[in-house]
Amino acid sequence: MKEEHYNASDIQVLEGLEAVRKRPGMYIGSTSSRGLHHLVWEIVDNAIDEALAGYCDDIEVIINQDNSITVKDDGRGIPTGIHAKTGLSTVETVYTVLHAGGKFGGGGYKVSGGLHGVGASVVNALSTWVEVKVYQDGKVHMIRFENGGHTVSPLHVIDNCSPDRTGTTVTFKPDPEIFTETTIFDYEILKTRIRELAFLNKGLRIILCDDRVEDKKKEEFLYEGGISAYVEMLNKNKTPIHDDIIHLEGKENDISLEVAFQYNSGYTSNIYSFANNINTHEGGTHEDGVKLALTRIINNYARKIKMLKDNDDNLSGEDVREGLTMIISCKISDPQFEGQTKTKLGNSEVKKIASNVFSEGFERFLLENPEEAKLIVEKAMTAARARVAAKKARELTRRKGDLDVTNFYGKLSDCKSKDPKECEIFLVEGDSAGGSAIKGRDSMTQAILPLRGKILNVEKARLDRALSNEEIKTIITAFGTGIGEDFNIDKLRYNKIIIMTDADVDGSHIRVLLLTLFYRFFRPIVEAGHVYAAQPPLFVIKHGKTIKYVLNEQERDEYLASLSPNTRYDIMRMKGLGEMDAEELNETTMDIEKRVLRQITVDDIVSADDIFSKLMGEEVEPRRNFIEQNASYVENLDI
Ligand code: 28F
């Protein structure tokens, strides 16, 4: 190893980045696929900051063939001069000193998200190599780091460029020693977040390229309409009840708030909020302020135009949010993220500001658009009547034992343990599979709920109608969380909810109906990752005395290839859960040690909502298009 002369700042640099390599989870959440993709967001956030500062219009993200990532922006370019404090170039400082990223130093602030905004130096620490090019003053400056952030070639000019070209290009290769689960980037994950960032930053063009595939994939995301375009996309398969997408924005002492929304004829509420471009899944003060104002304004207006009589009860928050698609975007200099997954905005001063900004804009909209206003109030009042009806029906699903016991307990074979952390419930299609599951299960921790009838399609139903469906009532009672206004995830009686249906068309239909129910009425359960799909085997291969169950074609072919050519295999396609006896069902699909479960997540709010609306919604056209476009992907369609 050649003689290294480290000065004080070198040692501080190495200790800083070494700390990141020792405990990467502290800086990027985890070293799973999620953490891997987080590296991209750290770099993209820096480019977005440059766009927010008004100096960059185009960002490009390229997945290179070796799964390194290149991010380009056409901003000012990271300053190439010497950084006063470190004696290094600013570029080298930003990439080697932890927390040096803070773009505008003390004065300004980083508005884009990122986990604690430690940014570029963390990416450097967790990469086998990083190359930064800065286009400035007609020159291309380059610096290269290797092995977790060591500068191997300090910033130097490598080329000329046109004098008016400025910007920053960063290429990095995540370190496989850190990202042991995977270092392969997922195009859909990158696409989802990039599209969301384009919605949240109107007018910003972000291009995503995948150079790993033959016909190099390239998609451009640019929404002049910003979050109004987001609402338009979310409502594209629904029936709006008023034409315009309402767009409100305002700013009070350094906090800016933007809201876009449109009511549709559906019954569900799709409100998504963001703080500094981060998806605040758990809500927070921005969302609370808007919701409070929405309820107050609609009640005031309804009373003013005498649609609500003096002795009528107020419309509830749930009533005024029925059929509402809304995006809330807040930009704030010192965001406090709270909650289980750090996705709840905690700044208390935001609530009043959000309420003021929203009230002022929405009151004006209602006064200027009496027709739309009337439609919105009418919808809320219909929802209120249904809510009252649902309240009566809901009493029946409360798990206080006052339910008619035979009806409920005849259906659920509960587990002995009462500790939710270890219990799981299987929702099983049909009585015969239900019977085998009850016989084959571990009765200490596994509950079985056989589903006899079809689950109602709740995409098109209000809660009161959903509660009239026996299967749904039984499911709600079994979960123990209550539903609607009473919903409380802390009362969930099972850690895992496992949908166990056949791989055929009927089974898939029941699974989608259940997922629609969960997505519409139990979304926090899905977002917390409690919902799974069991993977019953598709084939059984018998040769000699060996019986091998495999999940799908790929596993079948891999297994067959592993057998010596002279063994005579016969392969049988499993007909369904009902065909397996208790032993087999347990062995292949239920036993915690042997089974394969697929966790259901709602990461992509746009496509999840999109798919449910298309497949389960009112409009036939979008459903036909979706099926035509996706028919080629369907395998094992078993009519
Ligand atoms: C592909 C990733 O990282 N873009 C960036 C800039 C621009 C400036 C900057 C960045 C100043 C003192 C920290 C330029 N001119 N894309 C990027 N573009 N950082 S990162 O400044 C760095 C700060 O220390 C910039 C004038 N002001 C800021």
PDB file of all heavy atoms in Angstrom, residues 225-254:
ATOM      1  N   GLY A 225     -48.973  20.567 -15.531  1.00  0.00           N
ATOM      2  CA  GLY A 225     -50.110  20.738 -14.601  1.00  0.00           C
ATOM      3  C   GLY A 225     -49.771  20.343 -13.181  1.00  0.00           C
ATOM      4  O   GLY A 225     -50.580  20.469 -12.275  1.00  0.00           O
ATOM      5  N   GLY A 226     -48.556  19.790 -12.982  1.00  0.00           N
ATOM      6  CA  GLY A 226     -48.142  19.475 -11.601  1.00  0.00           C
ATOM      7  C   GLY A 226     -49.136  18.566 -10.901  1.00  0.00           C
ATOM      8  O   GLY A 226     -49.598  17.576 -11.474  1.00  0.00           O
ATOM      9  N   ILE A 227     -49.479  18.914  -9.662  1.00  0.00           N
ATOM     10  CA  ILE A 227     -50.323  17.976  -8.886  1.00  0.00           C
ATOM     11  C   ILE A 227     -51.756  17.929  -9.427  1.00  0.00           C
ATOM     12  O   ILE A 227     -52.483  16.988  -9.173  1.00  0.00           O
ATOM     13  CB  ILE A 227     -50.313  18.322  -7.379  1.00  0.00           C
ATOM     14  CG1 ILE A 227     -50.820  19.720  -7.108  1.00  0.00           C
ATOM     15  CG2 ILE A 227     -48.938  18.099  -6.769  1.00  0.00           C
ATOM     16  CD1 ILE A 227     -50.994  19.999  -5.603  1.00  0.00           C
ATOM     17  N   SER A 228     -52.146  18.953 -10.225  1.00  0.00           N
ATOM     18  CA  SER A 228     -53.478  18.833 -10.866  1.00  0.00           C
ATOM     19  C   SER A 228     -53.444  17.685 -11.868  1.00  0.00           C
ATOM     20  O   SER A 228     -54.412  16.920 -11.988  1.00  0.00           O
ATOM     21  CB  SER A 228     -53.852  20.138 -11.573  1.00  0.00           C
ATOM     22  OG  SER A 228     -53.983  21.160 -10.600  1.00  0.00           O
ATOM     23  N   ALA A 229     -52.321  17.514 -12.540  1.00  0.00           N
ATOM     24  CA  ALA A 229     -52.178  16.387 -13.484  1.00  0.00           C
ATOM     25  C   ALA A 229     -52.195  15.072 -12.722  1.00  0.00           C
ATOM     26  O   ALA A 229     -52.709  14.059 -13.194  1.00  0.00           O
ATOM     27  CB  ALA A 229     -50.874  16.536 -14.253  1.00  0.00           C
ATOM     28  N   TYR A 230     -51.649  15.090 -11.504  1.00  0.00           N
ATOM     29  CA  TYR A 230     -51.638  13.886 -10.653  1.00  0.00           C
ATOM     30  C   TYR A 230     -53.106  13.480 -10.363  1.00  0.00           C
ATOM     31  O   TYR A 230     -53.494  12.339 -10.544  1.00  0.00           O
ATOM     32  CB  TYR A 230     -50.913  14.203  -9.347  1.00  0.00           C
ATOM     33  CG  TYR A 230     -50.252  13.027  -8.656  1.00  0.00           C
ATOM     34  CD1 TYR A 230     -49.292  13.231  -7.667  1.00  0.00           C
ATOM     35  CD2 TYR A 230     -50.590  11.711  -8.940  1.00  0.00           C
ATOM     36  CE1 TYR A 230     -48.683  12.183  -7.002  1.00  0.00           C
ATOM     37  CE2 TYR A 230     -49.995  10.644  -8.293  1.00  0.00           C
ATOM     38  CZ  TYR A 230     -49.040  10.889  -7.321  1.00  0.00           C
ATOM     39  OH  TYR A 230     -48.437   9.830  -6.669  1.00  0.00           O
ATOM     40  N   VAL A 231     -53.924  14.484  -9.965  1.00  0.00           N
ATOM     41  CA  VAL A 231     -55.340  14.212  -9.659  1.00  0.00           C
ATOM     42  C   VAL A 231     -56.043  13.701 -10.914  1.00  0.00           C
ATOM     43  O   VAL A 231     -56.784  12.728 -10.880  1.00  0.00           O
ATOM     44  CB  VAL A 231     -56.036  15.490  -9.136  1.00  0.00           C
ATOM     45  CG1 VAL A 231     -57.544  15.306  -9.055  1.00  0.00           C
ATOM     46  CG2 VAL A 231     -55.476  15.859  -7.768  1.00  0.00           C
ATOM     47  N   GLU A 232     -55.712  14.326 -12.048  1.00  0.00           N
ATOM     48  CA  GLU A 232     -56.333  13.907 -13.320  1.00  0.00           C
ATOM     49  C   GLU A 232     -56.029  12.437 -13.597  1.00  0.00           C
ATOM     50  O   GLU A 232     -56.891  11.656 -13.950  1.00  0.00           O
ATOM     51  CB  GLU A 232     -55.782  14.772 -14.452  1.00  0.00           C
ATOM     52  CG  GLU A 232     -56.534  14.625 -15.757  1.00  0.00           C
ATOM     53  CD  GLU A 232     -55.929  15.525 -16.844  1.00  0.00           C
ATOM     54  OE1 GLU A 232     -54.933  16.238 -16.535  1.00  0.00           O
ATOM     55  OE2 GLU A 232     -56.429  15.512 -17.965  1.00  0.00           O
ATOM     56  N   MET A 233     -54.782  12.041 -13.341  1.00  0.00           N
ATOM     57  CA  MET A 233     -54.400  10.635 -13.585  1.00  0.00           C
ATOM     58  C   MET A 233     -55.136   9.713 -12.615  1.00  0.00           C
ATOM     59  O   MET A 233     -55.688   8.690 -13.008  1.00  0.00           O
ATOM     60  CB  MET A 233     -52.889  10.460 -13.433  1.00  0.00           C
ATOM     61  CG  MET A 233     -52.501   8.988 -13.361  1.00  0.00           C
ATOM     62  SD  MET A 233     -50.777   8.747 -13.125  1.00  0.00           S
ATOM     63  CE  MET A 233     -50.345   8.197 -14.743  1.00  0.00           C
ATOM     64  N   LEU A 234     -55.197  10.110 -11.343  1.00  0.00           N
ATOM     65  CA  LEU A 234     -55.865   9.246 -10.359  1.00  0.00           C
ATOM     66  C   LEU A 234     -57.348   9.100 -10.677  1.00  0.00           C
ATOM     67  O   LEU A 234     -57.958   8.088 -10.391  1.00  0.00           O
ATOM     68  CB  LEU A 234     -55.679   9.831  -8.950  1.00  0.00           C
ATOM     69  CG  LEU A 234     -54.286   9.658  -8.354  1.00  0.00           C
ATOM     70  CD1 LEU A 234     -54.135  10.487  -7.087  1.00  0.00           C
ATOM     71  CD2 LEU A 234     -54.009   8.194  -8.053  1.00  0.00           C
ATOM     72  N   ASN A 235     -57.939  10.131 -11.309  1.00  0.00           N
ATOM     73  CA  ASN A 235     -59.381  10.089 -11.599  1.00  0.00           C
ATOM     74  C   ASN A 235     -59.698   9.600 -12.996  1.00  0.00           C
ATOM     75  O   ASN A 235     -60.850   9.577 -13.405  1.00  0.00           O
ATOM     76  CB  ASN A 235     -60.005  11.482 -11.395  1.00  0.00           C
ATOM     77  CG  ASN A 235     -60.535  11.650  -9.979  1.00  0.00           C
ATOM     78  OD1 ASN A 235     -60.557  10.688  -9.202  1.00  0.00           O
ATOM     79  ND2 ASN A 235     -60.942  12.839  -9.622  1.00  0.00           N
ATOM     80  N   LYS A 236     -58.608   9.154 -13.727  1.00  0.00           N
ATOM     81  CA  LYS A 236     -58.853   8.900 -15.163  1.00  0.00           C
ATOM     82  C   LYS A 236     -59.848   7.763 -15.382  1.00  0.00           C
ATOM     83  O   LYS A 236     -60.563   7.753 -16.362  1.00  0.00           O
ATOM     84  CB  LYS A 236     -57.532   8.733 -15.898  1.00  0.00           C
ATOM     85  CG  LYS A 236     -56.971   7.413 -16.117  1.00  0.00           C
ATOM     86  CD  LYS A 236     -55.805   7.625 -17.101  1.00  0.00           C
ATOM     87  CE  LYS A 236     -54.840   6.496 -17.050  1.00  0.00           C
ATOM     88  NZ  LYS A 236     -54.432   6.065 -15.753  1.00  0.00           N
ATOM     89  N   ASN A 237     -59.952   6.811 -14.453  1.00  0.00           N
ATOM     90  CA  ASN A 237     -60.930   5.727 -14.683  1.00  0.00           C
ATOM     91  C   ASN A 237     -62.155   5.908 -13.813  1.00  0.00           C
ATOM     92  O   ASN A 237     -62.883   4.955 -13.564  1.00  0.00           O
ATOM     93  CB  ASN A 237     -60.278   4.376 -14.370  1.00  0.00           C
ATOM     94  CG  ASN A 237     -59.061   4.171 -15.238  1.00  0.00           C
ATOM     95  OD1 ASN A 237     -59.141   4.365 -16.432  1.00  0.00           O
ATOM     96  ND2 ASN A 237     -57.941   3.895 -14.619  1.00  0.00           N
ATOM     97  N   LYS A 238     -62.349   7.132 -13.314  1.00  0.00           N
ATOM     98  CA  LYS A 238     -63.515   7.362 -12.460  1.00  0.00           C
ATOM     99  C   LYS A 238     -64.412   8.379 -13.163  1.00  0.00           C
ATOM    100  O   LYS A 238     -64.093   8.873 -14.232  1.00  0.00           O
ATOM    101  CB  LYS A 238     -63.046   7.868 -11.092  1.00  0.00           C
ATOM    102  CG  LYS A 238     -62.162   6.829 -10.365  1.00  0.00           C
ATOM    103  CD  LYS A 238     -61.913   7.255  -8.934  1.00  0.00           C
ATOM    104  CE  LYS A 238     -61.298   6.134  -8.146  1.00  0.00           C
ATOM    105  NZ  LYS A 238     -59.832   6.039  -8.339  1.00  0.00           N
ATOM    106  N   THR A 239     -65.559   8.665 -12.527  1.00  0.00           N
ATOM    107  CA  THR A 239     -66.495   9.618 -13.137  1.00  0.00           C
ATOM    108  C   THR A 239     -66.520  10.890 -12.291  1.00  0.00           C
ATOM    109  O   THR A 239     -67.176  10.905 -11.239  1.00  0.00           O
ATOM    110  CB  THR A 239     -67.900   8.984 -13.163  1.00  0.00           C
ATOM    111  OG1 THR A 239     -67.766   7.635 -13.559  1.00  0.00           O
ATOM    112  CG2 THR A 239     -68.824   9.738 -14.088  1.00  0.00           C
ATOM    113  N   PRO A 240     -65.821  11.943 -12.692  1.00  0.00           N
ATOM    114  CA  PRO A 240     -65.818  13.176 -11.897  1.00  0.00           C
ATOM    115  C   PRO A 240     -67.233  13.747 -11.786  1.00  0.00           C
ATOM    116  O   PRO A 240     -68.033  13.586 -12.711  1.00  0.00           O
ATOM    117  CB  PRO A 240     -64.916  14.120 -12.688  1.00  0.00           C
ATOM    118  CG  PRO A 240     -64.110  13.234 -13.576  1.00  0.00           C
ATOM    119  CD  PRO A 240     -64.982  12.056 -13.878  1.00  0.00           C
ATOM    120  N   ILE A 241     -67.556  14.393 -10.672  1.00  0.00           N
ATOM    121  CA  ILE A 241     -68.898  14.999 -10.541  1.00  0.00           C
ATOM    122  C   ILE A 241     -68.826  16.489 -10.842  1.00  0.00           C
ATOM    123  O   ILE A 241     -69.834  17.175 -10.870  1.00  0.00           O
ATOM    124  CB  ILE A 241     -69.517  14.767  -9.141  1.00  0.00           C
ATOM    125  CG1 ILE A 241     -68.712  15.472  -8.048  1.00  0.00           C
ATOM    126  CG2 ILE A 241     -69.691  13.296  -8.860  1.00  0.00           C
ATOM    127  CD1 ILE A 241     -69.462  15.542  -6.725  1.00  0.00           C
ATOM    128  N   HIS A 242     -67.596  17.017 -11.028  1.00  0.00           N
ATOM    129  CA  HIS A 242     -67.495  18.402 -11.517  1.00  0.00           C
ATOM    130  C   HIS A 242     -66.292  18.461 -12.450  1.00  0.00           C
ATOM    131  O   HIS A 242     -65.326  17.712 -12.267  1.00  0.00           O
ATOM    132  CB  HIS A 242     -67.376  19.389 -10.353  1.00  0.00           C
ATOM    133  CG  HIS A 242     -66.235  19.116  -9.430  1.00  0.00           C
ATOM    134  ND1 HIS A 242     -64.983  19.684  -9.602  1.00  0.00           N
ATOM    135  CD2 HIS A 242     -66.121  18.312  -8.342  1.00  0.00           C
ATOM    136  CE1 HIS A 242     -64.184  19.260  -8.644  1.00  0.00           C
ATOM    137  NE2 HIS A 242     -64.838  18.416  -7.857  1.00  0.00           N
ATOM    138  N   ASP A 243     -66.330  19.312 -13.432  1.00  0.00           N
ATOM    139  CA  ASP A 243     -65.330  19.280 -14.503  1.00  0.00           C
ATOM    140  C   ASP A 243     -63.940  19.689 -14.043  1.00  0.00           C
ATOM    141  O   ASP A 243     -62.974  18.984 -14.239  1.00  0.00           O
ATOM    142  CB  ASP A 243     -65.761  20.223 -15.649  1.00  0.00           C
ATOM    143  CG  ASP A 243     -67.076  19.734 -16.242  1.00  0.00           C
ATOM    144  OD1 ASP A 243     -67.375  18.520 -16.056  1.00  0.00           O
ATOM    145  OD2 ASP A 243     -67.814  20.536 -16.816  1.00  0.00           O
ATOM    146  N   ASP A 244     -63.857  20.855 -13.400  1.00  0.00           N
ATOM    147  CA  ASP A 244     -62.511  21.363 -13.114  1.00  0.00           C
ATOM    148  C   ASP A 244     -61.850  20.624 -11.970  1.00  0.00           C
ATOM    149  O   ASP A 244     -62.523  20.199 -11.037  1.00  0.00           O
ATOM    150  CB  ASP A 244     -62.585  22.847 -12.721  1.00  0.00           C
ATOM    151  CG  ASP A 244     -63.313  23.629 -13.795  1.00  0.00           C
ATOM    152  OD1 ASP A 244     -63.366  23.107 -14.931  1.00  0.00           O
ATOM    153  OD2 ASP A 244     -63.857  24.695 -13.473  1.00  0.00           O
ATOM    154  N   ILE A 245     -60.546  20.528 -12.062  1.00  0.00           N
ATOM    155  CA  ILE A 245     -59.762  20.073 -10.906  1.00  0.00           C
ATOM    156  C   ILE A 245     -59.456  21.345 -10.123  1.00  0.00           C
ATOM    157  O   ILE A 245     -58.930  22.315 -10.670  1.00  0.00           O
ATOM    158  CB  ILE A 245     -58.469  19.372 -11.376  1.00  0.00           C
ATOM    159  CG1 ILE A 245     -58.853  18.024 -12.018  1.00  0.00           C
ATOM    160  CG2 ILE A 245     -57.506  19.172 -10.218  1.00  0.00           C
ATOM    161  CD1 ILE A 245     -57.753  17.307 -12.714  1.00  0.00           C
ATOM    162  N   ILE A 246     -59.868  21.359  -8.856  1.00  0.00           N
ATOM    163  CA  ILE A 246     -59.693  22.572  -8.041  1.00  0.00           C
ATOM    164  C   ILE A 246     -58.246  22.643  -7.592  1.00  0.00           C
ATOM    165  O   ILE A 246     -57.704  21.661  -7.074  1.00  0.00           O
ATOM    166  CB  ILE A 246     -60.642  22.530  -6.823  1.00  0.00           C
ATOM    167  CG1 ILE A 246     -62.093  22.340  -7.297  1.00  0.00           C
ATOM    168  CG2 ILE A 246     -60.507  23.803  -5.983  1.00  0.00           C
ATOM    169  CD1 ILE A 246     -63.067  21.994  -6.196  1.00  0.00           C
ATOM    170  N   HIS A 247     -57.593  23.803  -7.829  1.00  0.00           N
ATOM    171  CA  HIS A 247     -56.174  23.949  -7.473  1.00  0.00           C
ATOM    172  C   HIS A 247     -55.996  25.197  -6.606  1.00  0.00           C
ATOM    173  O   HIS A 247     -56.413  26.272  -6.970  1.00  0.00           O
ATOM    174  CB  HIS A 247     -55.338  24.087  -8.757  1.00  0.00           C
ATOM    175  CG  HIS A 247     -53.885  24.262  -8.469  1.00  0.00           C
ATOM    176  ND1 HIS A 247     -53.267  25.494  -8.425  1.00  0.00           N
ATOM    177  CD2 HIS A 247     -52.929  23.361  -8.143  1.00  0.00           C
ATOM    178  CE1 HIS A 247     -51.985  25.337  -8.116  1.00  0.00           C
ATOM    179  NE2 HIS A 247     -51.754  24.051  -7.948  1.00  0.00           N
ATOM    180  N   LEU A 248     -55.467  24.969  -5.383  1.00  0.00           N
ATOM    181  CA  LEU A 248     -55.281  26.087  -4.441  1.00  0.00           C
ATOM    182  C   LEU A 248     -53.817  26.091  -4.002  1.00  0.00           C
ATOM    183  O   LEU A 248     -53.220  25.042  -3.855  1.00  0.00           O
ATOM    184  CB  LEU A 248     -56.163  25.896  -3.202  1.00  0.00           C
ATOM    185  CG  LEU A 248     -57.628  25.504  -3.442  1.00  0.00           C
ATOM    186  CD1 LEU A 248     -58.292  25.176  -2.120  1.00  0.00           C
ATOM    187  CD2 LEU A 248     -58.375  26.630  -4.150  1.00  0.00           C
ATOM    188  N   GLU A 249     -53.265  27.307  -3.814  1.00  0.00           N
ATOM    189  CA  GLU A 249     -51.914  27.350  -3.224  1.00  0.00           C
ATOM    190  C   GLU A 249     -51.709  28.654  -2.484  1.00  0.00           C
ATOM    191  O   GLU A 249     -52.415  29.636  -2.727  1.00  0.00           O
ATOM    192  CB  GLU A 249     -50.837  27.136  -4.282  1.00  0.00           C
ATOM    193  CG  GLU A 249     -50.773  28.168  -5.369  1.00  0.00           C
ATOM    194  CD  GLU A 249     -49.698  27.764  -6.403  1.00  0.00           C
ATOM    195  OE1 GLU A 249     -48.593  27.322  -5.997  1.00  0.00           O
ATOM    196  OE2 GLU A 249     -49.960  27.883  -7.605  1.00  0.00           O
ATOM    197  N   GLY A 250     -50.796  28.617  -1.548  1.00  0.00           N
ATOM    198  CA  GLY A 250     -50.525  29.813  -0.743  1.00  0.00           C
ATOM    199  C   GLY A 250     -49.240  29.596   0.038  1.00  0.00           C
ATOM    200  O   GLY A 250     -48.720  28.484   0.089  1.00  0.00           O
ATOM    201  N   LYS A 251     -48.744  30.688   0.629  1.00  0.00           N
ATOM    202  CA  LYS A 251     -47.467  30.631   1.342  1.00  0.00           C
ATOM    203  C   LYS A 251     -47.588  31.543   2.547  1.00  0.00           C
ATOM    204  O   LYS A 251     -48.163  32.624   2.446  1.00  0.00           O
ATOM    205  CB  LYS A 251     -46.395  31.170   0.372  1.00  0.00           C
ATOM    206  CG  LYS A 251     -44.967  30.859   0.728  1.00  0.00           C
ATOM    207  CD  LYS A 251     -44.035  31.381  -0.376  1.00  0.00           C
ATOM    208  CE  LYS A 251     -42.612  31.421   0.127  1.00  0.00           C
ATOM    209  NZ  LYS A 251     -41.811  30.287  -0.387  1.00  0.00           N
ATOM    210  N   GLU A 252     -47.133  31.072   3.687  1.00  0.00           N
ATOM    211  CA  GLU A 252     -47.080  31.926   4.877  1.00  0.00           C
ATOM    212  C   GLU A 252     -45.763  31.661   5.578  1.00  0.00           C
ATOM    213  O   GLU A 252     -45.403  30.490   5.764  1.00  0.00           O
ATOM    214  CB  GLU A 252     -48.249  31.609   5.823  1.00  0.00           C
ATOM    215  CG  GLU A 252     -49.519  32.423   5.547  1.00  0.00           C
ATOM    216  CD  GLU A 252     -50.604  32.136   6.594  1.00  0.00           C
ATOM    217  OE1 GLU A 252     -50.272  32.070   7.801  1.00  0.00           O
ATOM    218  OE2 GLU A 252     -51.753  31.929   6.171  1.00  0.00           O
ATOM    219  N   ASN A 253     -45.098  32.682   6.006  1.00  0.00           N
ATOM    220  CA  ASN A 253     -43.740  32.619   6.560  1.00  0.00           C
ATOM    221  C   ASN A 253     -43.008  31.329   6.176  1.00  0.00           C
ATOM    222  O   ASN A 253     -42.951  30.392   6.934  1.00  0.00           O
ATOM    223  CB  ASN A 253     -43.682  32.816   8.080  1.00  0.00           C
ATOM    224  CG  ASN A 253     -44.952  32.337   8.802  1.00  0.00           C
ATOM    225  OD1 ASN A 253     -46.061  32.593   8.371  1.00  0.00           O
ATOM    226  ND2 ASN A 253     -44.765  31.627   9.885  1.00  0.00           N
ATOM    227  N   ASP A 254     -42.547  31.293   4.924  1.00  0.00           N
ATOM    228  CA  ASP A 254     -41.593  30.274   4.511  1.00  0.00           C
ATOM    229  C   ASP A 254     -42.166  28.858   4.412  1.00  0.00           C
ATOM    230  O   ASP A 254     -41.432  27.906   4.245  1.00  0.00           O
ATOM    231  CB  ASP A 254     -40.420  30.266   5.511  1.00  0.00           C
ATOM    232  CG  ASP A 254     -39.155  29.781   4.807  1.00  0.00           C
ATOM    233  OD1 ASP A 254     -39.174  29.808   3.567  1.00  0.00           O
ATOM    234  OD2 ASP A 254     -38.227  29.346   5.478  1.00  0.00           O
TER     235      ASP A 254
END
